[in-house]
Amino acid sequence: MNRTKRIATSSTRRTLVATVGAGLALAAAVPAGVASGTTVPAHAAVTANGAAHRAFLSTGVVITAPSAIGVVTGKSVRVSLRTGTAVTGIKAYIGTTNISGMLRRHGQSWSGDVPVARVGNGTQKLIVRALTKHGDGGTDSVTFVVGHTVRGLLTNVQTHNVDSSAVTINARTARATTATLTLNGVPVADINDPGSSSTHSWRLTKISGLRSGVNRASLVVQDQHGGLATKSWTFKHTLGSGRLGADEAPALGAQGLYVSTDLQSVDGGNNYNTMSVADTAYTSTLSIGSAIIVQLDAATFAPVASSLDGTGVAPKAGTVTIAVWKDHDVSFAGTPNGSRMWIGTREVADNESHYDCNPYGNCNTNLHGWLEPAAGVNPATWTDSDMLTVQTRQADDGATSNTMTIGGTSYPVSLSSGATGGFELLTLNNIGQPTDPATAYSFVGDPSADAATVSSLATALTKAIDDGHVTVMLQGFGKLPQLAGTGPLAQAITTLGGNADVLSHMGTASGPSDQEYALIGARYTDPNKAAALPYGWLGQEASKERSGDGTLASLLVRDQTQNDYVPMTTTAAGDGQIEGDNDLMKVVYQTPSSWKAWIPDGSGGLRTPTAAEQAAFNDIQGALVNPSGSLIPSDPAKFLCPAAPDPIRGALCNTNTSVLLSDALNVSGLSFNAGQGSAGGYTAADFATVQSAVKTEFENASIIYTTIEDYQNIFGNATESAIVQTGTIGDDILKNLPTSGATIDTDVANVLTMMTNVVTAFGPAAPEIRYFSSGLKLMGMFQADSGPGVQVGGTERVTQDTAAATLATNLNDASTQFAVYGDFLASDPMKLMQGAHLLGTEYSLSGNHEGDVERATAYGVNQYLWGTLMAPVYTVWTGPSSLGNPLSCLNTEWPGSGWADPFSNSDQNAFWAGVGTVSWIGAITDPNNFGSYSKKGVAQKYGLPAATADQLSGAINPKIPPTSSTNVGVVEPYFQNTYLTTTNLPIWDQYSGNLVGCKAQS
């Protein structure tokens, strides 16, 4: 790990501090050539004389052709690469086609021409993986378009200056096409995102790359047959203040616009009828109840329409629509109280109730969160900030008691006298409060009494399912009876997102004497479901019998349409659980604080500076900003923290932590000037207070970005190797598997689930693993217009050959965007202080925790790649439970053959006994091959080899990284359900006339 950017020691500070000029003394830690007005990449180096440069590391690779969003219309695709000196080879793919052999090396350059016939038309992705003597180097990727030019396809393009803040471009094509527009080299998303259409529109603003003077635009359209047309042109524009019509767009900070639908009383009375958006108050005109709709431009958040009675404004493309209503029926909802938000015409947030808030306001139906504006190809996004941390069981709970925690509130239960085990059930409403008291269900060892308890629990769960809008938390503990995998309880568990197979293994003689089982489930809107299936139940489950830990700790977030809290990042709690270890993500998205208060108050808070302290700050800022060669720009247009109140705070959002530390040293090198103090009305004590506060701000920003960079290094980037070498892990796995060129579809987001699934083995590092996973995953589980930056998620088509490289590029892209969380923290005074404390302590990648997080991530990648690489060659063969294990199959097409077990080469670790079914992991083959024999008269075997099955299910060793021979730690049936297809076994029926069939071995 790179540790060169830690806070300098006091001896280092003494060597760097120099006095310049009279009055306030200013340290000269970094010379004029390194301005903090420009963010330097995380891998930038500082040379001996202080000049920063972009270091191209020896293990890196960069694609130089084709260009991003480039167009290829010839018979071949020209591919050019540049690699570091330590790179010994490359693997390159366009889609799932390996083109490595078509590229020739010339020193550090690689090039070649790939026939278009090998690639195909349409949008293509080039992925290149660098190889070194020690494993992976960097990984780079680029997306481009292949096709043939068609005259007359692009029929019309018009550019319109809307006003001083925006330009619209409209295009028409002769038939349906996809379209890509780039503005000054930056891709811009279509307003309506119509996919394939004959009309396309774009709204260009400053945040899209629109600038004063000459702008360069380029448009590419392509039809379904590969025909394409291009147009490039320039236009002039003069940027104004950002006004849209008569309304001023709000100044947006790094995190965007904070939105609260809290209703306020403007007269101090009991009439709560006013909502504020971007500091503009909207008061409902209704005489009874209230209803307000505010519509914002999606790119600038300037208001474009509003309604004060809840009518007349409908969601539409290119806008964000915010609605709140209280004690009033609106046409778009079925409850008289609620809040809702749309981006375009897609609903992204909802909180409703039939009941009013007691006593006043809309405390049970409000929304809080952050809107980020549409920019480039990224749509506007919404992130709900009302996150909730929950835990189903505590480490000190006994065999007959259990305590659930919701936020900071505990909900304990105790079993009845004489009970040996039981369940706690707690259901939460849409604001995270219990709908009913926590309830205990006790088992006493009497079959009749325990059956009644099972029935009561099933009834309660069924009621929760029928009621719908609740979050269900269930924890089993103590000695539980064997629970049936069928019946009302199993059905309810399955509906809630649990697994009846797992339930059926509870209380068995082979299981642990003390049982633990946990489930958190809620209604969830899956964007991949058809419109006829608008929601399902999303459940997270843990079982001590299955995985060694049957408790859950989870960060709950609100579903975008179902009005409920759903589990986003969930892991086994275990003994290593630290209460509140999801606090960092909650800090990132909490309510913003104002820079009006920034002096530490000594009690963990911030206070407003006195007039004297503000005068001292002004002089300190003048000393830092005004001298020639200052590291801190005075021009607000160059602030790294957008809309910062002053140059010092504008300089805090800097990923170059060397500059941040230099700024801190420069502050500490200033000396109190009595004359300036007298003129400004402040004392040496005032000066010292302000000096310490400002210095700490720069140091806190450095802590934040340094730790975030440590997380980013886990997945690396194009110019340097990742700590977790995805390609090397994939190569190791393939040593254990048959090879196949078949393509499969895989969900890359599964790697994040795998990361958190192994957290039990890395207990002390649980907070860091949860933060890293949730930061990459946040809200991507819902849809593209939720959450910040590039999210890990979505289906990719891969082969065994391309799976690891495809995963690496996805993780690279998301990891690069991870720095956005640093910007969110550094641009807010309270988040800056709290975030630095958390990232410098609980979430710091230091000491043993650093290695733990790296290995946990590696094991998550290892499990994901095992599943992905097995999928083309192995399936789950399944049949009725009457088949038992071992199995016998007969193929009457083979003269003289007898009954044989096709899975006799495997063992119990490739077998699973579910509810009413049994299954084996075996090779993908024609079912008619079962019972067949080789030419030497040996029965053919298709099971997963025992050695591989044992390695797959063996417990991981958290002290070593995964290799080709280490255990994988997978848990069934989750692994097979996630990655492998299911194939029915042929069942023997002597009367059916079938030639092949299987039965229980007699």
Side-chain angles (χ1 to χ4, degrees):
M1 297 292 287
N2 182 359
R3 296 295 173 198
T4 62
K5 296 182 180 179
R6 294 298 186 194
I7 295 176
T9 64
S10 58
S11 60
T12 303
R13 290 172 183 161
R14 285 195 295 271
T15 63
L16 292 175
V17 173
T19 301
V20 293
L24 297 178
L26 178 63
V30 177
V34 190
S36 63
T38 303
T39 300
V40 182
H43 50 269
V46 178
T47 62
N49 66 359
H53 69 276
R54 184 179 187 272
F56 183 79
L57 299 189
S58 60
T59 59
V61 58
V62 171
I63 298 171
T64 56
S67 60
I69 318 298
V71 177
V72 176
T73 57
K75 295 183 178 181
S76 64
V77 179
R78 183 65 176 176
V79 176
S80 300
L81 318 171
R82 185 166 61 92
T83 59
T85 55
V87 172
T88 58
I90 56 99
K91 288 190 175 182
Y93 313 91
I94 296 181
T96 57
T97 302
N98 190 331
I99 64 165
S100 307
M102 303 180 192
L103 306 182
R104 296 290 178 264
R105 183 171 191 171
H106 307 281
Q108 291 179 246
S109 299
W110 302 69
S111 61
D113 295 306
V114 180
V116 164
R118 293 286 304 275
V119 175
N121 290 317
T123 300
Q124 304 291 343
K125 187 175 185 179
L126 169 64
I127 299 175
V128 182
R129 171 189 166 200
L131 307 176
T132 73
K133 290 190 302 182
H134 306 291
D136 282 355
T139 304
D140 199 10
S141 65
V142 68
T143 300
F144 60 98
V145 177
V146 178
H148 54 275
T149 302
V150 174
R151 281 188 160 187
L153 182 60
L154 182 59
T155 59
N156 183 264
V157 178
Q158 295 181 335
T159 305
H160 300 283
N161 281 290
V162 178
D163 52 38
S164 61
S165 70
V167 169
T168 61
I169 294 177
N170 299 309
R172 289 186 175 274
T173 54
R175 50 187 172 272
T177 60
T178 58
T180 302
L181 178 76
T182 57
L183 175 66
N184 298 319
V186 178
V188 181
D190 193 317
I191 291 176
N192 299 302
D193 189 22
S196 186
S197 173
S198 60
T199 60
H200 301 272
S201 299
W202 296 266
R203 186 182 186 89
L204 312 179
T205 63
K206 183 178 179 179
I207 202 168
S208 304
L210 184 65
R211 59 195 183 203
S212 290
V214 177
N215 290 265
R216 299 182 181 278
S218 178
L219 178 62
V220 179
V221 298
Q222 186 168 39
D223 64 23
Q224 62 178 338
H225 303 295
L228 57 80
T230 63
K231 178 180 175 64
S232 297
W233 72 104
T234 62
F235 62 90
K236 290 184 177 180
H237 184 73
T238 301
L239 283 173
S241 62
R243 296 177 65 87
L244 271 177
D247 296 311
E248 186 74 26
L252 299 178
Q255 201 161 356
L257 178 66
Y258 181 77
V259 174
S260 166
T261 63
D262 290 339
L263 287 173
Q264 305 293 329
S265 172
V266 294
D267 58 5
N270 296 333
N271 190 12
Y272 287 75
N273 63 352
T274 300
M275 175 178 67
S276 292
V277 178
D279 296 326
T280 299
Y282 298 85
T283 300
S284 177
T285 56
L286 296 175
S287 58
I288 299 177
S290 58
I292 302 164
I293 303 175
V294 177
Q295 195 165 75
L296 311 176
D297 180 89
T300 65
F301 294 153
V304 295
S306 64
S307 166
L308 302 181
D309 63 3
T311 65
V313 176
K316 64 179 182 180
T319 68
V320 174
T321 307
I322 306 164
V324 61
W325 63 101
K326 172 181 166 62
D327 297 327
H328 183 75
D329 292 327
V330 292
S331 61
F332 49 82
T335 60
N337 301 279
S339 299
R340 191 177 290 185
M341 183 180 298
W342 299 261
I343 292 177
T345 57
R346 177 176 290 177
E347 183 181 318
V348 297
D350 182 52
N351 189 6
E352 300 180 31
S353 177
H354 287 282
Y355 306 103
D356 200 349
C357 179
N358 185 22
Y360 306 112
N362 62 332
C363 62
N364 60 330
T365 57
N366 49 23
L367 291 170
H368 307 97
W370 290 88
L371 280 170
E372 290 187 77
V377 295
N378 297 320
T381 63
W382 164 256
T383 304
D384 194 311
S385 63
D386 290 327
M387 301 175 183
L388 194 63
T389 55
V390 302
Q391 190 167 321
T392 60
R393 184 167 170 80
Q394 312 307 307
D396 57 355
D397 283 336
T400 59
S401 64
N402 190 70
T403 303
M404 292 185 177
T405 55
I406 312 299
T409 305
S410 297
Y411 296 91
V413 297
S414 295
L415 301 180
S416 60
S417 177
T420 57
F423 283 90
E424 177 179 0
L425 173 63
L426 185 65
T427 55
L428 308 178
N429 62 17
N430 63 326
I431 58 174
Q433 295 178 344
T435 60
D436 294 295
T439 304
Y441 294 84
S442 302
F443 295 108
V444 295
D446 176 79
S448 177
D450 289 351
T453 299
V454 168
S455 178
S456 296
L457 177 58
T459 299
L461 292 176
T462 302
K463 179 180 181 298
I465 293 168
D466 292 341
D467 290 347
H469 291 297
V470 293
T471 302
V472 176
M473 296 178 60
L474 181 67
Q475 177 68 57
F477 55 97
K479 185 174 178 58
L480 300 176
Q482 186 165 5
L483 300 170
T486 58
L489 179 59
Q491 183 177 349
I493 292 289
T494 302
T495 300
L496 289 167
N499 195 308
D501 285 0
V502 172
L503 189 72
S504 69
H505 281 245
M506 302 293 294
T508 59
S510 60
S513 58
D514 59 325
Q515 294 287 328
E516 288 179 350
Y517 172 87
L519 175 66
I520 302 175
R523 296 206 322 187
Y524 164 60
T525 307
D526 187 341
N528 298 312
K529 295 285 187 181
L533 297 170
Y535 72 89
W537 284 82
L538 175 68
Q540 299 292 334
E541 181 181 66
S543 164
K544 189 169 185 177
E545 186 274 334
R546 289 284 81 206
S547 58
D549 196 311
T551 61
L552 288 174
S554 183
L555 180 64
L556 306 184
V557 293
R558 276 210 186 99
D559 182 83
Q560 59 185 355
T561 60
Q562 291 306 309
N563 202 15
D564 306 314
Y565 275 105
V566 296
M568 183 187 73
T569 301
T570 303
T571 61
D575 293 340
Q577 166 72 7
I578 298 174
E579 181 64 26
D581 70 2
N582 280 306
D583 281 350
L584 185 54
M585 291 310 300
K586 294 175 68 177
V587 168
V588 170
Y589 286 100
Q590 70 187 9
T591 304
S593 60
S594 169
W595 278 106
K596 292 179 180 179
W598 51 270
I599 299 286
D601 62 8
S603 301
L606 298 171
R607 64 171 176 82
T608 303
T610 64
E613 289 168 337
Q614 186 61 49
F617 173 84
N618 294 339
D619 282 348
I620 287 175
Q621 179 167 261
L624 295 172
V625 175
N626 294 329
S628 175
S630 169
L631 299 176
I632 301 175
S634 59
D635 182 359
K638 297 181 180 179
F639 287 0
L640 296 181
C641 292
D646 54 65
I648 283 180
R649 280 55 186 259
L652 293 174
C653 299
N654 197 334
T655 57
N656 187 345
T657 52
S658 296
V659 171
L660 290 170
L661 289 176
S662 296
D663 289 334
L665 292 173
N666 287 341
V667 174
S668 66
L670 298 174
S671 301
F672 173 67
N673 182 298
Q676 287 185 319
S678 177
Y682 60 87
T683 65
D686 295 325
F687 179 88
T689 297
V690 173
Q691 182 182 40
S692 175
V694 174
K695 171 176 167 289
T696 299
E697 288 175 10
F698 281 115
E699 289 177 339
N700 282 344
S702 177
I703 290 171
I704 288 170
Y705 284 107
T706 298
T707 304
I708 285 177
E709 182 186 347
D710 290 343
Y711 282 101
Q712 290 176 302
N713 287 340
I714 292 175
F715 288 144
N717 54 47
T719 60
E720 57 184 308
S721 301
I723 290 171
V724 175
Q725 298 201 343
T726 304
T728 302
I729 293 173
D731 292 343
D732 282 345
I733 293 170
L734 286 174
K735 297 174 184 177
N736 299 271
L737 298 175
T739 58
S740 170
T743 60
I744 59 166
D745 292 331
T746 180
D747 186 350
V748 181
N750 284 329
V751 74
L752 302 179
T753 302
M754 296 300 103
M755 282 171 57
T756 50
N757 280 353
V758 302
V759 77
T760 304
F762 299 87
E768 295 94 328
I769 298 168
R770 270 186 272 267
Y771 165 61
F772 191 35
S773 175
S774 63
L776 292 169
K777 180 182 180 182
L778 181 60
M779 308 302 278
M781 64 189 289
F782 298 129
Q783 57 191 28
D785 46 10
S786 296
V790 178
Q791 306 303 320
V792 176
T795 300
E796 294 272 6
R797 176 151 292 184
V798 300
T799 64
Q800 284 184 329
D801 202 24
T802 65
T806 301
L807 174 63
T809 58
N810 275 271
L811 296 178
N812 289 170
D813 292 343
S815 181
T816 300
Q817 295 293 323
F818 204 64
V820 72
Y821 293 111
D823 296 342
F824 293 173
L825 293 170
S827 58
D828 180 289
M830 185 61 71
K831 295 179 184 181
L832 175 64
M833 180 176 66
Q834 295 175 342
H837 171 72
L838 290 169
L839 284 167
T841 54
E842 186 177 331
Y843 296 88
S844 175
L845 291 185
S846 60
N848 293 333
H849 283 204
E850 177 182 354
D852 287 344
V853 172
E854 292 166 4
R855 287 188 295 274
T857 304
Y859 274 105
V861 169
N862 195 45
Q863 287 194 17
Y864 167 84
L865 286 176
W866 265 96
T868 302
L869 297 176
M870 284 178 64
V873 290
Y874 286 103
T875 187
V876 177
W877 292 96
T878 186
S881 56
S882 59
L883 290 177
N885 187 29
L887 187 69
S888 286
C889 298
L890 180 67
N891 191 325
T892 57
E893 287 187 297
W894 290 82
S897 64
W899 292 93
D901 182 1
F903 305 117
S904 61
N905 63 319
S906 194
D907 62 16
Q908 287 294 319
N909 286 325
F911 171 77
W912 173 253
V915 177
T917 63
V918 287
S919 58
W920 294 259
I921 298 178
I924 294 176
T925 188
D926 188 330
N928 289 325
N929 289 332
F930 284 114
S932 62
Y933 283 68
S934 69
K935 293 181 179 179
K936 295 183 179 181
V938 178
Q940 301 281 21
K941 299 174 183 178
Y942 296 99
L944 181 69
T948 304
D950 295 345
Q951 180 182 354
L952 198 64
S953 61
I956 64 176
N957 183 349
K959 301 301 181 183
I960 62 173
T963 66
S964 59
S965 59
T966 53
N967 289 334
V968 185
V970 304
V971 177
E972 297 295 0
Y974 306 114
F975 179 80
Q976 67 182 39
N977 290 346
T978 300
Y979 294 107
L980 304 182
T981 59
T982 299
T983 309
N984 291 326
L985 283 164
I987 306 301
W988 177 255
D989 183 350
Q990 60 180 331
Y991 304 109
S992 67
N994 292 337
L995 301 177
V996 179
C998 301
K999 67 176 184 178
Q1001 194 173 106
S1002 56

